Amino acid sequence: MRRREFVALSASCLVWGALANSAQARRPPTVGVLWHAGAPSEEEPYYSALLQGFRDEGYIDGDTIKLEQRFPSESPERFRSFAAELIALQPDVLVGVGSLSTPYLAEATKTIPIVFTIVADPVAMKLVDSLAAPGRNATGFSNYSGDLMGKRLEVLRRALPDLKHVGMLFNPDDHLSSRYLAQAISAAKTLQLDLTQMPVRLPDEFKPTFSDAVGKGVQAVAVAGDGFMFRNRATIARQCVERRLPVFGWSHETADAGFFASYGTDQRDLVRKAAGYVGRILRGARPADLPVEQPTKFELVLNLKTAKAIGVTIPDALLHLADDVIE
């Protein structure tokens, strides 16, 4: 080969190499998301909140980011297989939405960064070493705050001046149920309220449990939120209306479903924030160094439509305190 041809060929290789490197550099990052329900519509409003969070970070699915999302319909086998499927794609970051999905990701990989959200107790679940210093490949956002059950009973007392007897609806299989129950017992004692425990593990137990509570004189019910209660929020709301019994929830979505009221973490905000942590990791941050954030934004939601249906008049002073009123 003559010298001139060799130089031309070398220059051509350099150009193509530079173009290849440039194309690779422009490859959008891949983020795997493991949900818990069976379809995007079943994850609303959180599904839209996550997409909005990515947009706020400048990431558009199919353009500046590639989202690989899986919906296991709360099947343990599908959780496990979908987690493995996502990891096989070698994503840049994984996102686990909720306490059901995240452990499967954490079990399947110790190296790919994981951002979780709406997880009540990541330390007890062994996802992190501590909230301040996660120390592992996972970090994210907790939705647990210890004093919320007491505040819900306080609001019920303000809404119902003649309240004497409350019920506590909870899932005994949830690992936080004992904490919620202890908080409710303590708050009821302080407020001089009788409290009846209402454990429910299966959907067909709601109706007899509510019947038994009404028979015992329960005048209102506070609900300890978990995935089981969230999935059955419409059923609980029907019990509320059918029995003319105010039921107090833990998130805006429970009031939207027909609960009398709710007070708790803005969980949509936690999902949006998860996208922010993903962005920080994509820019070089290590999950082990990003502290788990606890909820700081809470909202009181009152459902006037339900209140009217069950014959309760909410005092004006309480209405003025609400962050949102459903009419």
Side-chain angles (χ1 to χ4, degrees), residues 169 206-207 210 221 223 228-250 252-261 303 305-307 309-310 326:
L169 183 68
F206 283 110
K207 187 173 182 178
F210 270 87
V221 175
V223 185
F228 171 74
M229 294 297 176
F230 185 82
R231 295 191 299 276
N232 290 282
R233 62 192 184 281
T235 298
I236 298 170
R238 284 195 297 272
Q239 294 296 323
C240 171
V241 174
E242 290 174 5
R243 303 182 186 283
R244 299 174 66 84
L245 193 67
V247 176
F248 208 108
W250 67 93
H252 201 302
E253 292 73 43
T254 58
D256 289 336
F259 283 33
F260 167 72
N303 191 321
K305 183 178 178 181
T306 297
I310 63 178
I326 299 172

Side-chain angles (χ1 to χ4, degrees), residues 7 70 89 129 131 179 259 276:
V7 172
R70 299 294 185 273
L89 296 173
D129 295 334
L131 299 180
R179 293 192 202 177
F259 283 33

